[in-house]
Amino acid sequence: MYFYEIHCHMKETSRCSQVPAREMAMDYKRRGFTGMVITDHFVNGHSYADEPDTWEEKMEVFSRGYRAAKAAGDEIGLKVYYGLEYTYRRSTGEDYLALGLTEEQVLRDLKDCDQWQLEDFIDKVHALGGIIIRAHPFRQAEYIKTPAPDRSGLNVDAIEVFNGGNAKELYNYQAMEWALKEKKPMVAGSDTHTIPSNATNYIGFEQDPADYKALCQAIREGKAFIIHKPKE
């Protein structure tokens, strides 16, 4: 099996993370992972990238965690890919993982996307060749006004049914039931901010996807195995 973490946050970019990117990458390599997708909080989330004035400056700050993790990954033989966690605050406080894009695409083609309508953001990510994953749809938190999905039929490619940051297992199983109802592929992510929370929820493949595009396509096609380590 080939294991991938697809939901994690680096200290350099995400305000809530306690782990520097290099340390995070080293730990996942030690655990036997093939790769990871860095999904730091975007400029509309809990991110240091919300501080600068210009989009170019924001993206420079946003990429700090990914770049540090990628440099470490290149040294130790760990695949490290670029992603982001997009928080849509105009509605209920929904979170979405965008995978499959490059730094250049986000800088050039998603300028000021934190001000867009959610549907426009999703359509643009798809037009650029990326995928959208609905993250922890039933989580209850201060910024989530309604802890339940209210957008059935939204054009997402997969649903995160197991999330290591959820306080209750109930939220995970509610997400699984919803994914089955919506007939969407399922994934899992640790949503890690600390070393102890690493590798609690992740995905695996019988054959290693050749590159980032192949990884996203495998997720879209429902080929990912889910690994979940319950808290309870």
Side-chain angles (χ1 to χ4, degrees):
M1 291 285 287
Y2 300 88
F3 301 123
Y4 284 82
E5 175 64 74
I6 60 169
H7 193 166
C8 55
H9 301 279
M10 309 295 108
K11 185 176 181 179
E12 289 85 347
T13 299
S14 295
R15 295 178 185 273
C16 43
S17 178
Q18 301 176 27
V19 187
R22 182 176 182 83
E23 184 178 345
M24 188 80 81
M26 297 289 286
D27 187 66
Y28 271 94
K29 178 64 176 181
R30 180 183 63 79
R31 293 174 188 266
F33 274 66
T34 303
M36 59 195 305
V37 182
I38 309 303
T39 54
D40 275 312
H41 292 295
F42 203 51
V43 296
N44 47 5
H46 202 45
S47 173
Y48 293 112
D50 66 357
E51 293 180 348
D53 293 326
T54 70
W55 183 255
E56 291 72 19
E57 291 170 332
K58 289 178 186 292
M59 292 303 97
E60 192 67 25
V61 173
F62 177 74
S63 294
R64 291 187 307 199
Y66 161 73
R67 291 175 182 173
K70 180 68 166 61
D74 289 346
E75 290 179 20
I76 62 180
L78 179 75
K79 296 181 182 180
V80 177
Y81 297 129
Y82 177 89
L84 59 92
E85 183 170 16
Y86 183 95
T87 300
Y88 186 62
R89 295 188 179 276
R90 293 191 185 185
S91 181
T92 61
E94 307 152 51
D95 290 314
Y96 296 85
L97 303 179
L99 276 60
L101 306 182
T102 65
E103 288 186 78
E104 292 76 16
Q105 285 176 313
V106 174
L107 175 64
R108 181 185 67 240
D109 301 313
L110 293 182
K111 185 175 182 179
D112 299 325
C113 65
D114 54 312
Q115 305 299 319
W116 298 358
Q117 291 294 334
L118 177 60
E119 291 80 1
D120 294 333
F121 172 75
I122 291 175
D123 288 346
K124 188 62 174 180
V125 169
H126 284 150
L128 294 171
I131 64 172
I132 295 288
I133 298 170
R134 178 70 155 94
H136 47 70
F138 285 87
R139 174 181 293 179
Q140 296 189 24
E142 179 275 329
Y143 73 94
I144 299 177
K145 300 173 186 177
T146 305
D150 63 349
R151 293 178 180 275
S152 294
L154 195 65
N155 189 23
V156 300
D157 300 283
I159 294 173
E160 185 184 56
V161 298
F162 288 115
N163 176 282
N166 281 340
K168 296 183 179 181
E169 283 293 322
L170 172 64
Y171 307 153
N172 290 324
Y173 289 104
Q174 287 176 318
M176 177 175 282
E177 290 176 359
W178 186 51
L180 290 170
K181 179 182 177 181
E182 294 290 307
K183 297 181 180 179
K184 293 289 186 179
M186 304 180 194
V187 297
S190 298
D191 198 356
T192 185
H193 297 71
T194 66
I195 291 294
S197 63
N198 286 356
T200 56
N201 296 267
Y202 49 97
I203 58 174
F205 302 93
E206 289 185 339
Q207 295 184 334
D208 186 22
D211 52 25
Y212 198 12
K213 181 178 180 180
L215 174 68
C216 292
Q217 185 63 27
I219 291 173
R220 185 185 292 114
E221 294 176 356
K223 294 181 178 179
F225 290 92
I226 296 172
I227 296 89
H228 171 56
K229 299 177 182 179
K231 294 180 179 179
E232 302 171 2

